[in-house]
Amino acid sequence: MPKKPSKPHDEFFKATFSRMEVVVDYLQKMLPSELTDLLLIKELKRVNGSYISPALKEYFSDLIYECPLKHPNLAINLALLFEHKSQPEQYPHFQLLRYMLDGWEEQLRQGQTLTLIIPIVIYHGEANWTKRSLSSYFGNDLPSHILTFLPQFDYQLTHVTSMSDEEILALGNSLLVNTFLMMKHIWHPEFILQNPQLIFIHLEETSNMRDFVVALLAYFLKNSELTGEKVKTFIEILPRTLNQTAMSTYEMILKEGREQGLKINEDLLIEAQLRAEEERLRAEEALLREAEEHQRFDKVILQLHFELQLPIAEIVKITEREETYIEDLIARKNNEN
C-alpha cells in the first residue's frame, strides 16, 4: 500500500462535511435543541473563504457555514465553524479565538457586518478529550471580579470516539452515520475489515452518492496499510453494489502511490544534487582559504629575507619551511624584479 498521506483525517473530514446533507444532519441531530430551534436550517449555505485570512489557511479546516437566525425583528446571520481534531488539543479556546478574531477583522476590512460565530469541534482521536472552560487554563476558583477580564465563550464538542455504535446508528438513515462510524473505527482497521456491513450501512451505488463512497473507501484504504490480498477480500464482502467502486478506488490509490513514489525519488535526486553542489562549493572555499594562507605565509618569508635581511637558515627555523622551498621562493621573487 502507498505511504499514508500527511493529513488523511483532514482530507476525509473536508470531503464529508463539505456535503450539505451531512452538515444538516449534524445540526439537526447533534446540536442542542434550544440552538437548532433558532436556526433557519433550510437557508444554510457554505461560505468558505469569507472569514479566513491567508495567514491562517494552514491552521484550520476552513469549513464554515452561515445560517440566518429566527429573529422577529433583526436579520442576523450565524456562522458555524467546523473544526476537526484527531488528537486532543490542550488549549482549544486559544486556537478557536484566534480564528474568530481573524474572521471578524477580515469582515471589518471588507466593510461587512460582524457575524456571530459558533465553533464546532469534531473529535475522533483515541485519547480522551476533557472539555473545560477557558478560565480553568489560569487556575480553578478564580474570583468573580477577575473573571470579568477574561474572554468567555464556549464551543460545541462532538466526541465521536466516545459514542457507542448504537448511539451512532440511532442517528438514522444518514451519511452522518457512515462518517462517524468510519471516524471512530479508523484506528482499528481489523474491525472495519470484519464489519463492512456496519460501516457501509444504508449505502447504495448511485451517481450522487459515488463521491461520498469513494471518500469513505479512500480514507480507510489510505490509513489501513493492508496487503493486496486483504483489500481484495474486503472488497468481496462489501455490499455488492459497492464492489466496482471499491476496486476502482483501490486502483486509484495504488496509482497515486506510484506517482508519489516517483515524485519522492525525483525529490531525493534533487536533494542529492544540491548536497553535492554544496560540498563542491565548500571544497572550493577551503582551497581558496588554503591558497590565501599560503600566499600570506610566502609574503612573511619574503619580508623576513628582503626587509629584515635574515639568513635563510634563520628563516627555516622561524617558519618551519624547507630550505629548498624558501630558496626557490626568493629566486622567483628576484626573477620578477
Side-chain angles (χ1 to χ4, degrees):
M1 289 293 294
K3 184 180 178 181
K4 290 184 182 181
S6 58
K7 294 184 178 180
H9 305 296
D10 280 341
E11 290 174 1
F12 178 67
F13 179 73
K14 289 180 180 180
T16 51
F17 275 80
S18 292
R19 297 180 70 97
M20 186 64 70
E21 64 266 44
V22 172
V23 176
V24 168
D25 279 337
Y26 176 87
L27 298 180
Q28 292 176 334
K29 297 171 182 178
M30 302 303 298
L31 289 186
S33 59
E34 58 267 24
L35 181 55
T36 54
D37 288 345
L38 297 174
L39 301 177
L40 286 169
I41 294 180
K42 64 180 181 180
E43 296 185 27
L44 183 74
K45 63 179 180 179
R46 189 175 172 186
V47 291
N48 287 20
S50 45
Y51 291 84
I52 194 167
S53 71
L56 290 181
K57 283 285 186 187
E58 293 300 317
Y59 297 96
F60 296 95
S61 296
D62 192 22
L63 280 174
I64 307 169
Y65 290 82
E66 266 190 14
C67 190
L69 290 182
K70 298 175 184 177
H71 196 286
N73 301 318
L74 297 174
I76 299 176
N77 275 1
L78 184 72
L80 301 157
L81 159 66
F82 284 87
E83 180 61 19
H84 156 263
K85 296 291 181 186
S86 57
Q87 294 180 348
E89 184 74 31
Q90 188 173 6
Y91 302 109
H93 289 84
F94 292 163
Q95 189 183 53
L96 295 170
L97 182 58
R98 188 178 301 117
Y99 184 96
M100 294 162 72
L101 289 172
D102 189 77
W104 288 325
E105 289 173 355
E106 188 67 20
Q107 286 187 320
L108 290 175
R109 280 193 291 269
Q110 296 180 19
Q112 299 175 355
T113 303
L114 294 177
T115 305
L116 293 168
I117 300 176
I118 293 183
I120 299 173
V121 177
I122 312 290
Y123 172 68
H124 72 114
E126 293 186 285
N128 189 40
W129 182 299
T130 302
K131 188 180 179 186
R132 55 195 182 115
S133 66
L134 187 150
S135 62
S136 68
Y137 300 169
F138 303 90
N140 296 320
D141 301 321
L142 290 176
S144 57
H145 62 277
I146 294 294
L147 291 177
T148 59
F149 295 96
L150 287 175
Q152 298 295 323
F153 73 95
D154 197 4
Y155 62 92
Q156 170 72 20
L157 174 66
T158 298
H159 193 326
V160 176
T161 319
S162 68
M163 298 174 68
S164 67
D165 290 346
E166 290 73 21
E167 287 177 312
I168 296 175
L169 291 168
L171 298 174
N173 186 355
S174 161
L175 299 185
L176 189 64
V177 170
N178 309 101
T179 300
F180 278 1
L181 286 171
M182 182 62 82
M183 292 177 77
K184 175 185 176 181
H185 294 293
I186 193 63
W187 309 105
H188 306 283
E190 285 299 325
F191 180 89
I192 299 174
L193 284 174
Q194 295 166 16
N195 299 275
Q197 292 82 2
L198 173 67
I199 308 297
F200 293 85
I201 190 171
H202 302 314
L203 287 182
E204 296 180 359
E205 181 62 80
T206 58
S207 57
N208 65 335
M209 195 69 69
R210 190 176 186 279
D211 288 345
F212 179 82
V213 173
V214 169
L216 206 65
L217 288 163
Y219 180 45
F220 171 58
L221 294 173
K222 286 182 178 181
N223 282 276
S224 56
E225 296 185 343
L226 303 173
T227 63
E229 284 302 314
K230 278 197 172 185
V231 171
K232 289 176 183 176
T233 302
F234 166 71
I235 291 174
E236 288 172 0
I237 60 177
L238 281 174
R240 294 182 65 182
T241 54
L242 304 180
N243 290 157
Q244 184 176 355
T245 298
M247 182 55 72
S248 62
T249 302
Y250 179 56
E251 290 171 353
M252 174 191 71
I253 292 171
L254 289 177
K255 181 181 178 183
E256 287 178 357
R258 287 191 293 269
E259 291 174 350
Q260 289 173 2
L262 178 61
K263 177 68 163 60
I264 290 171
N265 291 336
E266 291 174 350
D267 290 343
L268 289 174
L269 177 60
I270 293 171
E271 186 178 341
Q273 291 173 337
L274 289 173
R275 281 200 304 269
E277 180 65 14
E278 288 175 357
E279 290 173 3
R280 185 187 67 80
L281 291 173
R282 280 197 295 270
E284 286 184 355
E285 289 175 359
L287 288 173
L288 183 60
R289 285 194 298 272
E290 184 179 346
E292 289 174 347
E293 180 66 17
H294 197 75
Q295 291 176 354
R296 187 186 67 79
F297 215 84
D298 285 354
K299 186 176 181 181
V300 170
I301 292 173
L302 294 173
Q303 287 176 332
L304 292 174
H305 176 72
F306 289 107
E307 296 180 14
L308 298 182
Q309 301 293 311
L310 293 180
I312 291 179
E314 189 67 22
I315 297 174
V316 169
K317 290 180 182 180
I318 295 173
T319 62
E320 297 183 350
R321 287 287 196 270
E322 297 208 357
E323 185 175 336
T324 54
Y325 177 84
I326 295 173
E327 290 175 343
D328 288 343
L329 180 63
I330 292 171
R332 289 200 302 273
K333 186 63 176 176
N334 287 326
N335 289 335
E336 288 176 6
N337 298 331

